[in-house]
Amino acid sequence: MVIRVMYIIELLDTEEGGLELVDPSWCPDEGPPRKKIKSPPVISPTGSSTSLYSGGSSIDWTTTGTTLEMQGTRVTRTQYGFRTLQESSAKMCLKVTGYPLPEITWYKEDQLLKEDDRHTFYADEDGFFAMTVDPVQVEDTGRYTCVATNEYGQASTSAFFRVLKVEKEAAPPAFTTTLKDQECKEGEVVSFECDVEGWPEPELVWLVDDQPLRPSHDFRLEYDGQNAKLEIRDAQPDDSGTYAVKITNEYGVTETKA
């Protein structure tokens, strides 16, 4: 006896304006056919990444402002991102949804990364992606970005990663350079900058007239554990005031003003 099976695949317009791919493996007795809606990439934390990648501790993305997780036995979360020690290993992990399944590219400071003796990429059909750096070197310090792309869009996430040669001795926070007074014309760009030291690396807060300053389109804040910078775009008269940086660790607190 010969059994012939015919599959019919249909592409149907959806109310949202995309296309539906009707799965031909459905059975009428099991309800309507399964459908996959074509959609752009969305990046989220892996959640279960500790079960997928051996060793290390998982870092909570909600405290770093990034959906890029980092794991490793020596990886530590910081205010500016993550840090670890030289000669250890680190994994950068994320979960990506979207249909068709997006392609992933990794960058360090806008330079495309490729697999080599120290960089290994991981991907599976469930949308889990990772990059392992082993062993980690001081020159691996920098901002890492992961870009997910399919035909319906693109999404990206990034995090700053610092690599230290050795653990440092405990020290209170201090400024090696301080803020300087600034003047500008309306509509210009003005910047404040200072350098800090101390161990553990100080937590840093910007203040304007003693009130916390939040980042926005016109107020760009940067901090990498050593250098802090505030850039005010399109400065206006009501931006005038006293700006301060306050740094704190378990051994003390200090600030600089301009």
Side-chain angles (χ1 to χ4, degrees):
M1 179 175 60
V2 176
I3 299 177
R4 294 182 178 179
V5 180
M6 181 176 67
Y7 294 102
I8 300 176
I9 299 176
E10 293 184 279
L11 287 175
L12 305 177
D13 292 329
T14 66
E15 295 180 358
E16 294 82 3
L19 294 173
E20 295 177 333
L21 174 63
V22 179
D23 189 339
S25 62
W26 72 287
C27 173
D29 295 333
E30 297 176 355
R34 296 188 300 272
K35 301 177 181 179
K36 291 185 178 180
I37 306 261
K38 302 211 175 207
S39 59
V42 175
I43 297 175
S44 60
T46 61
S48 60
S49 56
T50 51
S51 65
L52 292 172
Y53 312 109
S54 59
S57 59
S58 182
I59 306 300
D60 182 4
W61 74 277
T62 60
T63 57
T64 61
T66 177
T67 48
L68 183 61
E69 297 179 17
M70 291 197 183
Q71 298 178 339
T73 54
R74 307 302 294 272
V75 170
T76 302
R77 179 185 60 82
T78 69
Q79 184 183 24
Y80 59 79
F82 304 88
R83 72 165 179 263
T84 194
L85 293 180
Q86 182 175 254
E87 299 300 330
S88 63
S89 63
K91 295 187 180 81
M92 306 179 190
C93 321
L94 70 161
K95 174 75 164 62
V96 181
T97 58
Y99 186 77
L101 185 64
E103 294 184 358
I104 298 297
T105 48
W106 293 91
Y107 297 86
K108 175 179 178 285
E109 304 293 0
D110 299 324
Q111 295 295 315
L112 180 66
L113 295 174
K114 297 182 179 180
E115 284 194 299
D116 55 31
D117 292 341
R118 294 194 305 114
H119 298 80
T120 304
F121 300 158
Y122 171 87
D124 67 22
E125 296 180 353
D126 294 322
F128 291 95
F129 296 89
M131 177 177 68
T132 299
V133 184
D134 186 15
V136 173
Q137 304 295 340
V138 172
E139 56 266 27
D140 293 322
T141 294
R143 177 163 293 277
Y144 288 80
T145 301
C146 181
V147 179
T149 307
N150 69 11
E151 59 189 289
Y152 292 95
Q154 187 177 88
S156 66
T157 186
S158 65
F160 190 85
F161 186 48
R162 178 179 294 285
V163 182
L164 304 175
K165 287 186 177 180
V166 293
E167 287 280 3
K168 300 180 180 179
E169 292 185 3
F175 292 97
T176 55
T177 63
T178 57
L179 299 180
K180 307 298 182 185
D181 293 343
Q182 303 287 340
E183 290 185 2
C184 71
K185 296 180 180 180
E186 182 177 347
E188 290 184 342
V189 176
V190 62
S191 297
F192 292 95
E193 190 169 1
C194 62
D195 293 291
V196 307
E197 63 181 7
W199 191 260
E201 292 160 323
E203 294 287 315
L204 182 145
V205 177
W206 283 91
L207 305 167
V208 56
D209 294 330
D210 297 323
Q211 298 299 313
L213 181 63
R214 305 299 181 187
S216 66
H217 175 73
D218 292 325
F219 288 80
R220 181 179 178 182
L221 308 181
E222 297 180 359
Y223 178 49
D224 64 5
Q226 295 178 329
N227 176 265
K229 183 177 181 180
L230 163 64
E231 182 179 85
I232 304 173
R233 304 174 181 178
D234 188 25
Q236 298 298 313
D238 56 5
D239 294 327
S240 299
T242 300
Y243 287 78
V245 171
K246 183 178 181 180
I247 52 175
T248 307
N249 70 10
E250 58 190 284
Y251 298 101
V253 57
T254 187
E255 68 178 6
T256 177
K257 295 183 178 182

